[in-house]
């Protein structure tokens, strides 16, 4: 399972999502749109206007901070 978390600087929902994943020892690759602006176009092409966006194997599975959906990943 490959998880990518798209984030931006000073985003509380991004920080909360990252903290949740780290607390549950879920490996992910962070992709920051401030540091890599090309991710903005990537997300817009997928229909997203905001972060965080969590993808699994290039398929979006969670948008925003959604502990209910993140708990399903822990259960896998």
């Amino acid at each position: 399972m490959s998880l990518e978390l798209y984030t931006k600087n000073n985003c509380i929902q991004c920080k909360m999502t990252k903290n949740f994943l780290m607390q549950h020892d879920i490996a992910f690759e962070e992709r920051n749109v401030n540091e890599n602006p090309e991710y903005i176009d990537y997300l817009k092409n997928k229909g997203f206007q905001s972060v965080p966006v969590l993808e699994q194997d290039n398929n979006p599975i969670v948008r925003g901070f959604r502990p209910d959906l993140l708990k399903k990943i822990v259960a896998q």
Side-chain angles (χ1 to χ4, degrees), residues 5-31:
L5 179 62
Y6 292 88
T7 64
K8 69 177 182 178
N9 298 342
N10 302 317
C11 166
I12 189 65
Q13 288 191 21
C14 300
K15 187 174 184 177
M16 291 169 68
T17 301
K18 284 193 312 188
N19 286 342
F20 183 96
L21 294 172
M22 288 187 292
Q23 286 173 355
H24 291 88
D25 294 321
I26 298 171
F28 65 94
E29 179 181 332
E30 182 176 0
R31 297 184 175 174

Side-chain angles (χ1 to χ4, degrees), residues 19-49:
N19 286 342
F20 183 96
L21 294 172
M22 288 187 292
Q23 286 173 355
H24 291 88
D25 294 321
I26 298 171
F28 65 94
E29 179 181 332
E30 182 176 0
R31 297 184 175 174
N32 186 298
V33 300
N34 295 110
E35 296 168 9
N36 299 289
E38 66 271 15
Y39 293 143
I40 295 170
D41 291 333
Y42 173 81
L43 291 172
K44 282 184 179 179
N45 288 337
K46 290 196 167 203
F48 295 103
Q49 298 291 325

Side-chain angles (χ1 to χ4, degrees), residues 53-65:
V53 173
L54 183 64
E55 287 191 334
Q56 180 178 0
D57 301 320
N58 296 320
N59 295 307
I61 56 172
V62 180
R63 180 177 61 88
F65 178 61

